[in-house]
């Protein structure tokens, strides 16, 4: 895991989810694959949370986490790398919001908003999802990057006021050695 971004790299935030197979091993594999890409550095990882399925509820519990990365890739190329990793790890798209071996969502990239068929940034549903916001709060820096029109902390407090949040933190994460394979 790299700890420094260089100037032509910008910071981006990714939500990871898995509810089929060896969920934790798949999340680690996805992070390793991101970090091994020459234009992506994994900067920080949240803990892993076990979460009730949201949306389509008749499916297994998820593990969710978030990561801060730095990347020199433009947004659509980053999305394409993420989708290649999802496919390699066995993601099949069968049911909308249904079970998946791994899901990588691009939440937002510093200084970048866009609204195209392939990619919407910031992610349009991120502020409604405790399974995204709680891990994300662990990896955003104190001075949060712009573009969200709210802070992650405020969005999470708003959500907590609306509904009881069912999340269980299962472990604090991935040590560098988990990513490097040592
Ligand atoms: N910010 C984004 N991150 C990831 N995919 C996005 C984003 N914005 C748009 N998309 C598009 O959404 C499509 C569907 O993505 P995916 O199958 O991962 O959705 P999902 O995870 O089931 O649902 P949700 O988008 O609500 O999280 C992708 O093919 C991608 O082109
Ligand atoms: N708990 C939980 N529920 C979900 C998740 C997820 O990652 N975690 N992802 C979904 C589609 O992106 C739909 N529902």
């Amino acid at each position: 895991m790299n700890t420094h971004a260089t100037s032509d790299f910008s910071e981006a935030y990714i939500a990871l989810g898995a509810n089929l197979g060896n969920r934790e091993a798949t999340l680690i594999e996805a992070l390793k694959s991101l970090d091994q890409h020459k234009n992506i550095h994994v900067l920080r990882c949240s803990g892993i949370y076990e979460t009730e399925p949201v949306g389509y509820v008749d499916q297994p519990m998820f593990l969710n986490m978030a990561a801060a990365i730095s990347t020199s890739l433009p947004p659509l190329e980053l999305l394409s790398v993420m989708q290649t990793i999802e496919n390699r790890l066995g993601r099949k798209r069968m049911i909308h919001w249904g079970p998946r071996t791994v899901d990588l969502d691009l939440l937002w990239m510093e200084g970048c908003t866009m609204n195209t068929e392939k990619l919407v940034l910031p992610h349009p549903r991120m502020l409604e999802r405790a399974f995204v916001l709680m891990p994300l709060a662990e990896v955003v820096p104190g001075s949060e990057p712009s573009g969200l029109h709210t802070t992650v902390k405020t969005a999470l407090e708003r959500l907590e006021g609306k509904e009881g949040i069912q999340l269980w933190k299962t472990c604090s994460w991935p040590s560098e050695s988990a990513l490097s394979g040592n």
Side-chain angles (χ1 to χ4, degrees):
M1 184 163 21
N2 302 284
T3 49
H4 298 293
T6 57
S7 53
D8 56 339
F9 279 56
S10 44
E11 203 149 314
Y13 298 85
I14 293 178
L16 298 93
N19 75 341
L20 292 178
N22 186 335
R23 300 170 300 168
E24 189 172 329
T26 311
L27 293 178
I28 294 174
E29 200 48 46
L31 286 165
K32 276 186 184 169
S33 304
L34 286 168
D35 200 49
Q36 280 162 5
H37 192 286
K38 64 179 170 27
N39 303 104
I40 300 173
H41 304 315
V42 175
L43 301 173
R44 297 179 293 281
C45 299
S46 72
I48 298 179
Y49 293 76
E50 180 136 54
T51 66
E52 297 274 6
V54 172
Y56 179 78
V57 295
D58 187 18
Q59 58 176 325
M61 298 280 283
F62 277 81
L63 289 185
N64 284 110
M65 62 177 299
I69 64 167
S70 71
T71 183
S72 57
L73 296 175
L76 282 168
E77 282 182 37
L78 174 60
L79 180 70
S80 165
V81 169
M82 290 164 55
Q83 291 177 338
T84 302
I85 294 171
E86 287 180 338
N87 293 338
R88 191 172 52 75
L89 294 176
R91 167 96 190 256
K92 303 271 185 304
R93 288 177 168 76
M94 289 166 300
I95 303 172
H96 180 52
W97 288 354
R100 66 265 324 260
T101 48
V102 71
D103 181 27
L104 302 177
D105 284 338
L106 184 52
L107 299 177
W108 95 88
M109 285 184 83
E110 233 175 339
C112 174
T113 55
M114 61 190 290
N115 195 342
T116 67
E117 201 180 319
K118 275 194 175 164
L119 183 58
V120 183
L121 289 176
H123 191 289
R125 288 165 290 284
M126 63 176 284
L127 296 179
E128 302 152 19
R129 295 175 164 174
F131 65 78
V132 168
L133 293 177
M134 207 169 271
L136 182 62
E138 291 185 29
V139 297
V140 288
S143 57
E144 293 188 21
S146 58
L148 268 192
H149 309 298
T150 179
T151 65
V152 173
K153 191 164 167 276
T154 307
L156 194 53
E157 282 165 2
R158 200 175 299 140
L159 214 53
E160 279 166 338
K162 272 204 236 163
E163 59 195 58
I165 291 182
Q166 300 254 296
L167 296 176
W168 297 269
K169 187 161 181 174
T170 56
C171 67
S172 4
W173 183 255
S175 59
E176 282 201 23
S177 59
L179 274 192
S180 63
N182 297 323

